[in-house]
Amino acid sequence: MPPPNWPVRASRFLLFPLLAATAFTGCSALSSSGADAPDAPIARRVAALQPIDALLLGEQHDAPEHHVIERETVEALVARGHLAALALEMAEEGRSTAQLTPTATEAQVQAALDWSDKAWPWASYGPAVMVAVRAGVPVVGANLPRVRMKDAMADVSLDVQLNGEAYTAQQDAVRDGHCRMLPESQIVPMTRIQVGRDRAMAQAIVKAKRPGQTVLLIAGAGHVVRTLGVPQHLPDDVKVATVRLMAAPAAPSPEAVAGDYDRTWRTPPLPEKDYCAEFKRQARPQPKA
């Protein structure tokens, strides 16, 4: 049996090993010329994606360069007057800065979002958040609230939100994302949580959508996969672009490859890290006091 708090702990680490395991795959669409060149300014890359209703940035949570890109993306959309809202996986659905003024303090913003610095270091995400707040743009929580995760695990309706092939792939991603340590009996419940989280993020985008503007979602890369994640739960009339931020060496070939993302923006590779060893350490039952 998994430890009692496995679902919360597992959901926190779900994307780390998955991203590490796929860091060198060539399954993403990538253009290395013009606006999408590796050295192109982020503002130019963002402009090249317009017009869109939603821009989904899929990060590797522990990559510092990705947080810089996120801030620059917010700045680029603000500068063009195109940012409808900043939606975050890092805050729960129902949390918002909409009632705050542009002069709100960081402490007030964190309180409005019920921010968990332990789970999501404010030093990493705060700069992007505060650019939106200072511009008078609402920052909204998009993640499924923890209090609803237990219900999601038992919600059979979530089993049919993806087609059969995609749902099987999502189950495989859950297995790999948990370093194949998850008991098989937990695969379906944990897959439901993943689908529920993606649906919640999609709903946050729909609620924040504004004509002629773009909702920016910041989430783990696994959540923005076109065939499995948030895009699957958006209405057909929502024009969306997905970007994977990848901390990996430059692609060996400049050719664009159709895949799970519309773009891949690469950043310098990070030192190798055994994410599964960290996951196993976190999952190990703690001795009683």
Side-chain angles (χ1 to χ4, degrees):
M1 291 293 292
N5 59 342
W6 183 285
V8 173
R9 178 183 293 136
S11 66
R12 175 69 183 93
F13 284 91
L14 178 61
L15 295 180
F16 285 110
L18 179 60
L19 289 174
T22 60
F24 294 95
T25 61
C27 63
S28 301
L30 174 66
S31 170
S32 61
S33 62
D36 289 322
D39 58 348
I42 295 301
R44 187 184 305 168
R45 300 190 206 184
V46 171
L49 295 170
Q50 299 294 328
I52 49 176
D53 298 310
L55 171 57
L56 280 53
L57 284 186
E59 67 169 22
Q60 182 172 328
H61 299 312
D62 61 346
E65 286 292 329
H66 294 185
H67 303 308
V68 174
I69 290 174
E70 288 158 1
R71 174 182 54 77
E72 292 179 352
T73 301
V74 174
E75 290 173 340
L77 289 169
V78 165
R80 296 169 63 90
H82 283 179
L83 186 60
L86 172 60
L88 302 172
E89 174 196 355
M90 300 80 201
E92 293 185 351
E93 182 184 49
R95 296 290 178 174
S96 173
T97 65
Q99 302 304 315
L100 299 180
T101 67
T103 58
T105 66
E106 293 194 24
Q108 290 172 322
V109 172
Q110 291 180 66
L113 296 172
D114 193 23
W115 194 268
S116 172
D117 191 64
K118 183 177 181 180
W120 309 104
W122 180 253
S124 297
Y125 298 95
V129 170
M130 294 309 297
V131 171
V133 171
R134 295 287 177 255
V137 174
V139 181
V140 299
N143 208 348
L144 185 72
R146 287 188 180 184
V147 296
R148 288 168 49 194
M149 287 188 179
K150 184 177 180 180
D151 290 340
M153 294 175 76
D155 187 352
V156 296
S157 71
L158 294 172
D159 297 340
V160 294
Q161 297 304 315
L162 299 174
N163 66 42
E165 183 178 347
Y167 191 70
T168 298
Q170 187 69 277
Q171 288 180 316
D172 288 340
V174 167
R175 288 188 183 91
D176 291 340
H178 292 82
C179 303
R180 297 197 169 267
M181 289 177 58
L182 203 61
E184 194 62 24
S185 63
Q186 290 293 307
I187 296 300
V188 168
M190 290 303 296
T191 301
R192 288 170 181 165
I193 286 181
Q194 187 75 353
V195 173
R197 296 173 73 195
D198 290 338
R199 280 176 57 82
M201 293 183 212
Q203 290 166 2
I205 290 171
V206 171
K207 290 177 183 177
K209 183 173 172 288
R210 297 289 183 274
Q213 293 188 313
T214 300
V215 178
L216 173 63
L217 172 70
I218 294 176
H223 288 293
V224 308
V225 176
R226 269 197 170 273
T227 53
L228 302 179
V230 175
Q232 286 292 308
H233 306 285
L234 289 169
D236 292 340
D237 62 350
V238 175
K239 187 176 181 182
V240 59
T242 64
V243 175
R244 180 181 184 178
L245 305 180
M246 180 185 287
S253 170
E255 296 178 0
V257 180
D260 292 332
Y261 307 89
D262 296 307
R263 298 286 190 277
T264 294
W265 295 349
R266 295 177 185 268
T267 60
L270 298 176
E272 290 188 12
K273 182 176 180 179
D274 189 340
Y275 292 97
C276 284
E278 174 67 10
F279 180 81
K280 291 174 183 178
R281 184 185 69 80
Q282 291 288 331
R284 187 181 302 124
Q286 299 299 312
K288 294 182 179 180

